[in-house]
Amino acid sequence: MKERALTAAGEWLLGLPERDRDIFLVRLSRYWRDLVEGLRPPYGGREDFEAFVIGLVESLTESYVARPEDLKKLDLRRMLEPGWFQDERTVGYVLYTDLFSGDLKSLPERLPYLRELGVTYLHLMPLLATRKGENDGGYAVSDYRKVEPRLGTLDDLREVCRSLREAGISLCLDLVLNHTAREHEWAAKARAGEQEYQEMYLTFPDRKLPDAYEATLPEVFPETSPGSFTYDAEMGRWVWTTFESYQWDLDWSNPKVFCEMAGVLLYLANTGVEVFRLDAVAFLWKRLGTDCQNQPEAHDLLQALRACSRIVCPAVVHKAEAIVSPDDLVHYLGTGERHGRESDLAYHNSLMVHYWSSLASRDVRLASRALARFPEKPSGTAWATYLRGHDDIGWAITDEDAAAVGLSGFAHRAFLSDYYSGSFPGSHARGAVYQENPLTGDRRISGTLASLAGVEAALEANDERLLDLAVGRILLGYALMFGYGGVPLMYMGDEISLTNDRSYLKDPRKARDNRWMHRPPMDWKKAGRRSDPRGVEGRVFRGVVELVAARKRTPHLNAAAPTHVLETGHPHVLTYIRSHPLGTLVGLHNFTEDTQYMNAGLLRHQGMEEFYDRISASPLRPDWKDDLVLSPYGSLWVTAPPKPDPHIH
């Protein structure tokens, strides 16, 4: 089959220069195994399997022929540095286009701001055409090959990609794999009775199978969209709707779905998208009697999709959006036979959760326990680290980890929901409960970084001391996110401490979803005060910029350098080491409003005799007790003193 595919591809490429033909055929041969081994488990039992694979290769060839020359040059550069996204100089920023710049055409005007912040990776939240009315924040796509009209056009997206690329910024875009909007062309044809398109979705004539599946399915949105199936009167069938009733789950057991979605990915890659956030990947494959998450075939499909990118557009990397347990999560980066062959990036949800948990409790022992046992990732991949995103915060803390440090997992999760909703006595947070599940007691939290960290409460109280502590919590989080390992992602407005926006309550399309409170529009008036060291905006912005600069001058923070959390027994200081050929970096983070001390013997045990803080770019000297001093909410990235560069005179 491989020889037949190579021969056929060679014929389809006859119109290209010989160099281009050779490059494609070499990549097809190199990633053939990844492609076919990914496709065989879900589709290998079909009689038409070989024809399906040959047809897919033809589609890949067509995408390669259509790839613009400047992007082919980018492919060649990235093949020479496949770990480009792991670089310590990589710093990410996440935004909604309309809330940041109004539309795509206006976005390049804000490039000076992004460059000032040190951004090299820009994630534009969902901007593909979506259904009218409620659309889950853009995740109910009605057309994958069009931009939402109020945001611009595909030509505008191409221009944005070009402008960003010239500025040294890679663009990340969401690609929703699990479902489409009910209004998508495929769903419309399914509702019209076309069997070919009904077979692209999971639909049922009665409740027999839906009831059997729901016996083991958890509810994602128990308050607003209970259950996992919706009756569509127009089609006269039940439709699998894992999330909202207007989001129809695709049937990935149908190879037509794979071909269509691979085609969409490559089409968007040819506009200049360099990173794809693959949404809801844990839900792709359904199996009766399970929770229909993290099934083996989902991993096979992601490996095959990555192979498609490597063949056509190797400049592109894949980021898996899988908010699952650590033991399940690491597999989305490829383990075992799929080692390093599945996704390039995945979200480190646990780091985010334990940042907030440790802030509330002022105790890092639970975080140290959980993070020390976190599975090690493949060396050629990276975590995406973050303090919060566009979604709510769920308390993914296991009963086992909690019990190991003398806590009740249920009680601690309840405490965190109380604390960050502001109902716990003495809480500094101003968040809100999202999607309370009365059956499980699960309560998630909405709120901006600033409001959850105490800025909103401090401003309400007009208390400068409380504001100092809130700024400290924010900068502690950034130091942890930048130093821990991976691609750090800042959310729009957090760098100028934007607080909760409650204007969403006036919009009927948003009023029932309080996640909109932590999606405020960018306040450019506040951003204009970022140079004022007296205001909260300037204090946070300056602190973030200084941390970005420190990260970029610290090679130990390359994502290829492994991270190991040390369980030192210190209840208040989270400690980890980054192992690098230039030596070890020790990260120390104080999660309290009090000064803390760490014995310097810990650093000597890592082979250091002299100490240097990479954040402040200054030597460190222990006090008379041989302790390092950490200020309230203070952070240190400690290495041996850097050697002078012999090339600098």
Side-chain angles (χ1 to χ4, degrees):
M1 181 168 55
K2 179 180 178 181
E3 292 306 316
R4 183 183 164 196
L6 287 167
T7 300
E11 294 175 355
W12 295 321
L13 294 166
L14 285 176
L16 291 183
E18 184 176 355
R19 182 205 66 173
D20 280 5
R21 295 202 306 272
D22 290 345
I23 288 172
F24 180 85
L25 293 174
V26 166
R27 294 204 298 241
L28 177 59
S29 181
R30 161 64 180 83
Y31 291 103
W32 176 261
R33 179 184 166 197
D34 288 16
L35 179 67
V36 174
E37 287 185 359
L39 296 173
R40 197 176 297 281
Y43 308 125
R46 300 174 62 97
E47 292 182 1
D48 61 349
F49 179 66
E50 182 170 335
F52 155 63
V53 174
I54 299 298
L56 176 62
V57 169
E58 178 179 5
S59 177
L60 300 182
T61 310
E62 291 173 352
S63 295
Y64 177 72
V65 170
R67 191 154 174 80
E69 184 63 24
D70 59 337
L71 295 179
K72 287 182 178 178
K73 291 179 180 177
L74 180 64
D75 291 332
L76 294 176
R77 290 202 302 273
R78 292 280 168 77
M79 289 175 71
L80 294 174
E81 48 174 358
W84 64 272
F85 59 94
Q86 297 179 294
D87 195 282
E88 66 274 11
R89 291 166 293 185
T90 301
V91 174
Y93 192 81
V94 183
L95 62 84
Y96 280 94
T97 304
D98 55 340
L99 300 179
F100 185 76
S101 62
D103 56 24
L104 286 170
K105 279 189 175 179
S106 302
L107 184 60
E109 298 172 10
R110 298 300 184 181
L111 278 177
Y113 180 82
L114 296 173
R115 285 198 292 262
E116 182 182 351
L117 196 52
V119 171
T120 65
Y121 168 121
L122 184 65
H123 177 185
L124 301 184
M125 294 296 289
L127 52 74
L128 300 180
T130 188
R131 71 189 299 270
K132 292 181 173 61
E134 290 186 79
N135 55 44
D136 190 24
Y139 288 98
V141 178
S142 60
D143 193 331
Y144 289 102
R145 296 173 186 259
K146 289 183 180 178
V147 168
E148 178 63 24
R150 64 187 175 83
L151 300 178
T153 66
L154 271 176
D155 284 338
D156 294 332
L157 178 60
R158 289 188 185 93
E159 181 59 26
V160 164
C161 289
R162 185 196 62 78
S163 297
L164 292 174
R165 198 159 55 248
E166 290 178 353
I169 300 174
S170 298
L171 185 137
C172 173
L173 192 68
D174 290 271
L175 181 58
V176 184
L177 294 183
N178 180 69
H179 49 266
T180 74
R182 181 182 182 273
E183 290 73 15
H184 192 283
E185 179 186 10
W186 303 337
K189 290 182 177 180
R191 294 200 313 275
E194 295 189 37
Q195 185 175 351
E196 176 186 2
Y197 290 93
Q198 286 187 356
E199 291 174 352
M200 292 184 69
Y201 295 94
L202 291 149
T203 71
F204 307 89
D206 54 43
R207 285 290 310 188
K208 183 178 179 181
L209 272 175
D211 287 343
Y213 276 109
E214 285 207 319
T216 55
L217 287 178
E219 291 182 308
V220 177
F221 295 138
E223 285 187 359
T224 58
S225 189
S228 297
F229 297 87
T230 301
Y231 184 72
D232 189 83
E234 186 177 347
M235 187 169 54
R237 296 177 69 86
W238 289 88
V239 183
W240 199 312
T241 54
T242 294
F243 297 96
E244 299 284 1
S245 60
Y246 50 77
Q247 292 169 306
W248 285 20
D249 284 34
L250 290 161
D251 184 359
W252 280 82
S253 70
N254 181 349
K256 180 177 173 62
V257 170
F258 183 92
C259 287
E260 291 285 356
M261 295 306 290
V264 164
L265 187 153
L266 298 175
Y267 179 79
L268 294 171
N270 281 352
T271 68
V273 176
E274 298 180 37
V275 184
F276 284 96
R277 176 190 178 275
L278 303 177
D279 185 67
V281 293
F283 299 87
L284 293 186
W285 197 268
K286 324 297 188 187
R287 178 167 280 114
L288 192 63
T290 73
D291 62 1
C292 295
Q293 295 184 44
N294 309 308
Q295 298 300 302
E297 292 85 352
H299 296 284
D300 295 319
L301 294 166
L302 291 173
Q303 176 181 307
L305 277 176
R306 182 178 180 272
C308 291
S309 288
R310 288 297 192 267
I311 292 166
V312 176
C313 47
V316 165
V317 298
H318 291 189
K319 178 169 62 176
E321 189 270 335
I323 309 304
V324 296
S325 72
D327 288 339
D328 289 322
L329 175 62
V330 71
H331 298 304
Y332 288 92
L333 294 174
T335 57
E337 293 182 351
R338 299 190 191 90
H339 184 86
R341 301 162 67 193
E342 188 166 331
S343 297
D344 306 287
L345 293 159
Y347 287 96
H348 203 311
N349 181 61
S350 291
L351 183 68
M352 181 271 293
V353 168
H354 283 288
Y355 161 70
W356 292 111
S357 171
S358 298
L359 270 186
S361 65
R362 279 76 165 176
D363 193 315
V364 304
R365 285 173 290 188
L366 174 59
S368 297
R369 152 87 190 188
L371 295 173
R373 286 156 181 77
F374 207 86
E376 192 165 337
K377 67 173 183 61
S379 60
T381 64
W383 297 117
T385 58
Y386 62 113
L387 301 180
R388 65 101 173 182
H390 72 287
D391 262 335
D392 53 280
I393 299 173
W395 305 119
I397 292 169
T398 68
D399 292 339
E400 178 187 10
D401 284 335
V405 295
L407 297 174
S408 158
F410 181 86
H412 188 66
R413 292 187 293 270
F415 157 69
L416 293 174
S417 292
D418 289 343
Y419 194 93
Y420 285 107
S421 64
S423 63
F424 191 85
S427 170
H428 57 253
R430 294 292 183 270
V433 169
Y434 176 74
Q435 292 288 338
E436 181 173 1
N437 188 330
L439 296 179
T440 64
D442 180 48
R443 287 177 293 153
R444 295 176 255 167
I445 290 293
S446 295
T448 68
L449 172 61
S451 289
L452 295 180
V455 169
E456 186 173 333
L459 293 176
E460 288 174 355
N462 194 26
D463 189 316
E464 192 63 29
R465 177 183 170 276
L466 293 181
L467 191 59
D468 286 343
L469 293 174
V471 171
R473 295 183 193 103
I474 291 172
L475 296 180
L476 166 69
Y478 276 108
L480 176 65
M481 175 175 70
F482 289 156
Y484 190 82
V487 176
L489 303 177
M490 300 181 279
Y491 190 88
M492 177 190 80
D494 285 350
E495 76 283 0
I496 53 170
S497 67
L498 292 189
T499 54
N500 291 333
D501 174 22
R502 293 176 176 81
S503 66
Y504 78 96
L505 293 168
K506 301 175 183 177
D507 186 339
R509 299 170 302 169
K510 300 177 179 178
R512 72 186 188 119
D513 185 348
N514 69 18
R515 291 176 299 178
W516 285 105
M517 71 190 297
H518 58 240
R519 302 167 184 170
M522 186 63 177
D523 190 327
W524 290 107
K525 186 176 180 180
K526 285 191 174 185
R529 297 199 289 267
R530 65 187 181 276
S531 299
D532 182 355
R534 297 165 298 177
V536 64
E537 300 90 354
R539 291 158 67 184
V540 172
F541 189 87
R542 184 179 69 251
V544 171
V545 168
E546 289 174 355
L547 284 166
V548 169
R551 170 181 165 83
K552 292 188 177 189
R553 63 174 179 258
T554 306
H556 308 68
L557 301 184
N558 187 292
T563 303
H564 299 290
V565 170
L566 299 181
E567 295 182 87
T568 65
H570 197 302
H572 307 304
V573 178
L574 183 67
T575 306
Y576 55 83
I577 60 173
R578 304 291 308 278
S579 303
H580 188 274
L582 292 178
T584 299
L585 178 146
V586 179
L588 300 167
H589 301 279
N590 174 10
F591 273 82
T592 74
E593 50 268 84
D594 301 315
T595 300
Q596 300 294 336
Y597 302 89
M598 180 66 75
N599 189 273
L602 171 75
L603 304 180
R604 295 190 182 94
H605 186 69
Q606 299 301 324
M608 300 181 209
E609 291 301 326
E610 297 180 83
F611 315 127
Y612 184 86
D613 176 32
R614 293 279 178 162
I615 294 177
S616 62
S618 61
L620 284 175
R621 293 179 177 83
D623 66 8
W624 63 277
K625 293 182 179 180
D626 199 31
D627 286 332
L628 295 177
V629 180
L630 285 98
S631 60
Y633 296 119
S635 296
L636 299 171
W637 296 339
V638 187
T639 68
K643 295 180 180 179
D645 190 332
H647 301 291
I648 298 177
H649 302 285

